[in-house]
Every structure is written in C-alpha cells, then in structure tokens.
Amino acid sequence: MADNPLVKALDAEWFAGHLQDRSMRGIALETAAMIRSGVIEIGTHLPAVRELAQSLGVSPATVSAAWGQLRRQKVIAGRGRNGVWVCGDTLSPRPARFEKIGNFGEHISADLTLSAPDPQLLPDLREALLSGMAAENLNSYHREAISPALLAAVQSDWPYAAEAFMATDGGFDAMNLTLQTLLMQGSVVAIEDPTASRLLDMLDNLNAQVLPVKCDEFGPIPESLQAALAKNPSAFIYQPSTHSHCGHVMNAERFSELAALLAESNALIVEDDGIGQLSHAAPLSMGSVLPKRTVHVRSYSKAYGPDLRLAVLSGSRELIKQVISFRNFGAGWSSRILQQALAYLIKDEKTQQGIAHAKAVYAQRRKAMSDALQLRGVHIPHRDGLAMWIPVPSEQFALVTLAARGIAVLPGERSRIGPGQFIRISTSQLKPEQVDIIADAILLALG
C-alpha cells in the first residue's frame, strides 16, 4: 500500500500475490472477498488494468471483465485516467438511483418525491379481497401465468390482441423480469429521456449501454429515435401512455411515425404503462403493428392500490414463455387471491366510478399547480399524470432552496440520461393550501 494518507494505492505485485484463481470470475470473487473482509479498505485505488494483468500473467481484457463485474455490483467505481477505487463492501447489486430518493431529513413537511396515489382516492379492498378467497385453484402449487378471471378482465381494454399474458408482482417486477430475461449483459438499449429511475437502475445492473431518446409533448421524437436505432440497439423502452415524469401523451400521428421507424429495425420493443387506468389517454401499443417484437406492461398499482402489487405483461407466446421460464427461479406465479381481487375491482361499477373521480381530482391538482406557476411566470404546460417535470438552472440549488422550506423534490439526475437540469414534483397528493407556498418556493429555486 502507498504511504500517502489521502490516497491508498494497491501495489500490483502485492495484489497479484493474493489472487489464487486468475480467471475473470476468480479475480472478481477473490477481490470482493478481500474488500468484504477489510483486507482491502474502502477508498483504496486498485492497480491499473495493464499493470495488474502483467503481474497476474493474464490479458488486460480478463482484468477489465472482472472490474466490470464488480462495478455492476457497486463494489468499485471509476475508469480511465482516474483509475478504479473501492467504493463499497456490499456485494449485492442495488438500485442506486432509487435508494437515494427520499433522504431529506425530518424537517420536510411536503414530500413531493414519489408520484404515489392518494390513499383517499384508492378503492376499498374489503369486498375484493373476500372475492379473492374464492379464486380457482387456491393453494395449488400449479404454476399459472395468469388467472382466468384476471385474463378475462384485462382483455376488455387491452390495446391489442396479444398472443400471451402473465401476471406479475407490480410494473417494475414485470419490467425487471423482461429485461433480465430478454437482454444480455452489456446490451445497447434505447430509452426515453427522462425515464423512471428504477428502469435506469435495471439497465445499470445489466451493464447496458444506454442511448437516450429525446421527447416532446407527443412522446419520443422520431429523429432522436432514428439516430438511436442507427446504432442497432437490442431494445427500445418507452411509455406508450401518459409519461410518468413529463405528462406527455403520444398522438396517432407520432405513433405511426415511430411504428414505421421500428418496423425497419430488429429492436425488441418494451412498453411500460406505469400510470395504467389513471391516464386520460386511450391505451396504445406497438403490439398492434409489431406483435412479435413487443412486450407491453401495464401496472395496476396506482389506480387500484400499491398493496395489490400487480401488473399484467403481454407479448408473443415465445417471448412470454421465456419470461415465465426465467421467473421460475423465484416465485413462479403471482398470488391468485390478489389476481382475483383485481379482476373483481376491474369489473366492479362502483370501483370504476371511483377511478374516474380520482382521475379528475389528479388532473385538477396538477392544473392548480401549473396555474399557480403560470401566474408567477413559470410556464409548465397543462398535461396528464401525477407529476411535473420542471427545468431549473441548477438542480443542487433548487434542492437546497426547496428543502430549506420543507419541500422535497426529485432531482432530475435520478431520471435523465442526457444534459440539462430539472426537478420533478409529485402533484398527486397536493393540498389546496400547499399550492401557493410550493409555487413561491419553486420560483425562488429558479433563481
């Protein structure tokens, strides 16, 4: 080790002497074990790739691959001229962006970080859960992709006639299963910018090369998608309904433009409908024109409640078969009780009236904030959804300014890939008495 107290640098010969298995996997595992045990401390700089490769008698590619594995697991960080250093001693992959959300301290009186549904606007689950106890094949270990009752319920307004369906434990579970199953490590992936933080975490875990696709008020911009497709990505991920951050909604003309571009590519199309029935837009899916390459995910958590924790995924028989097979490493199927309960709610007239009311309330709350900002010279368009995406001169200044006034918001860096400074505020649980206070604070945050 170096004597410099500020930078601990690991000697290549010393390091090589402590590595018995010199395969890529061995280097990664044994390095992780030394970090976990404290033999190599957090903050230590590891030897340069070529220097260590020479000491080990292996190719630089072998060392680079081992470092890549540890980097995906958030054990080491850095690359290039700045070198590589130890940044953690926990060997499990974790969603770094998502885990950073919400740590603002106890003084926060208005937490606008998560676009969560208002509990007062969610349906009463008591009768639905009683219905769930009558589910077919209850307590059976027979693996079933989706219950017959839920399948019949969701097909009534599904955006295309899909070959196969499966229920999952929420929208992000569906997305993670899809990406883990259908994409290889290191894949090139095109995705809307901005997008959900957890999707970017999933792609980080796959060590994906991410290509941002810019959006406007009608969704992904065709020229930006075309540029991304020119790099032959394995997949394109986007939100086909109301965008969870920006609130934009794709129109028929934009849908046709994107469909024409995607038809000329080989990319898997992954659609993340996280807003579900709370969207004011009619459901759309590329599955209506490119069914063999489209996976469509609809979450029901925001409309029906997060503790139902259900989503439905559709695609071709071959794609869904692959996802089901991968899922057998874990739970294998989603609770039949919950599936039956959701089917009951989808068909229940009172519940559907409640969802229509919730949509109107959410729209009013978002409009109230947009109107308040407009009065202060901040022009954020009236759109759909449960949140607002606001450009700012400095994310850091905006976060500090708002936090000092008891307001927590999501920094744009958690959700964006390209340049720019933004904050996202949730409007789903805004109280009338908060609107002007928050709007004044946002004006100050804009400098």
Side-chain angles (χ1 to χ4, degrees), residues 122-131 304-308 341 344-345:
L122 292 171
D124 188 323
L125 299 181
R126 284 174 292 187
E127 290 186 15
L129 290 173
L130 286 174
S131 173
Y304 294 92
D307 281 313
L308 279 179
Y344 173 93
L345 292 169

Side-chain angles (χ1 to χ4, degrees), residues 45-48 67 71 77-85:
H45 275 251
L46 300 181
W67 280 185
R71 193 178 287 111
R79 62 181 77 230
R81 294 182 178 180
N82 294 326
V84 174
W85 64 91

Side-chain angles (χ1 to χ4, degrees), residues 216-220 222 238 240-241 248-261 281-286 288-289:
D216 61 17
E217 72 249 53
F218 301 120
Y238 79 110
S241 187
H248 60 245
V249 175
M250 189 181 302
N251 62 14
E253 181 181 355
R254 180 61 56 83
F255 179 85
S256 296
E257 289 179 289
L258 299 184
L261 291 172
L284 285 173
S285 174
M286 290 292 167
S288 61
V289 290

Side-chain angles (χ1 to χ4, degrees), residues 329-367:
F329 279 115
W333 73 91
S334 294
S335 164
R336 294 184 180 90
I337 295 173
L338 297 183
Q339 290 189 63
Q340 178 70 28
L342 178 57
Y344 173 93
L345 292 169
I346 291 173
K347 293 182 176 181
D348 181 59
E349 183 177 349
K350 181 180 178 181
T351 299
Q352 294 308 308
Q353 291 172 352
I355 289 175
H357 171 68
K359 286 166 62 174
V361 172
Y362 291 136
Q364 187 277 327
R365 289 174 181 175
R366 192 185 190 282
K367 185 177 184 300

Side-chain angles (χ1 to χ4, degrees), residues 274-319:
I275 300 295
Q277 282 186 246
L278 291 182
S279 173
H280 282 81
L284 285 173
S285 174
M286 290 292 167
S288 61
V289 290
L290 298 168
K292 296 297 184 183
R293 290 194 283 122
T294 300
V295 173
H296 184 83
V297 173
R298 179 188 290 179
S299 172
Y300 290 87
S301 295
K302 286 187 169 60
Y304 294 92
D307 281 313
L308 279 179
R309 189 55 64 195
L310 282 172
V312 173
L313 180 156
S314 73
S316 69
R317 288 188 183 88
E318 181 57 33
L319 290 177

